[in-house]
Amino acid sequence: MSNPSYFNRNSADNIKYPLITDKATRLLENNQYSFIVDPKSDKITIKSAIEYLFDVKVIKVNTCHLPKKKKRVGKYLGWKSHYKKAIVILSEGDTINLFE
């Protein structure tokens, strides 16, 4: 971890799950990994959590808030919950095995 004073035990809870889509699998070739994270987490917390959970060196973290989407179940119309996506760039030689 690069900044252990910023990391606490609940920081690992900010990472919800890895995002596996067509675009995300194409980004794996460039050593970039996509994760769905808590909307209130910031880049420093995401970086320290990824380094702690997967024991890798993170170079850069890009985040974006994705727009709400409509969800329909029968005649009822609602919205999907709000979420945030983080694209993490790892240093050369570090990898995360997502497909175990």
Side-chain angles (χ1 to χ4, degrees):
M1 275 187 307
S2 62
N3 194 356
S5 63
Y6 197 82
F7 184 79
N8 60 13
R9 296 178 79 173
N10 296 330
S11 294
D13 295 335
N14 291 331
I15 309 298
K16 294 188 177 182
Y17 54 90
L19 187 64
I20 308 297
T21 60
D22 290 336
K23 183 177 179 181
T25 52
R26 275 187 270 127
L27 289 174
L28 291 176
E29 298 171 359
N30 299 330
N31 215 13
Q32 298 178 3
Y33 294 86
S34 301
F35 294 94
I36 299 297
V37 297
D38 184 45
K40 296 179 182 176
S41 60
D42 58 348
K43 292 182 180 185
I44 298 170
T45 308
I46 295 168
K47 178 180 178 179
S48 61
I50 294 293
E51 288 178 345
Y52 175 75
L53 289 173
F54 298 106
D55 195 27
V56 293
K57 176 70 177 156
V58 175
I59 296 175
K60 189 174 182 180
V61 177
N62 296 326
T63 59
C64 63
H65 289 276
L66 297 169
K68 293 198 291 187
K69 295 181 180 180
K70 288 183 181 178
K71 184 79 172 175
R72 179 180 208 100
V73 178
K75 66 178 184 176
Y76 301 104
L77 183 66
W79 297 92
K80 283 182 72 174
S81 60
H82 176 69
Y83 61 100
K84 184 176 186 179
K85 179 171 77 170
I87 299 174
V88 178
I89 302 173
L90 301 181
S91 66
E92 288 293 324
D94 286 339
T95 58
I96 298 174
N97 191 4
L98 297 177
F99 307 106
E100 291 182 336

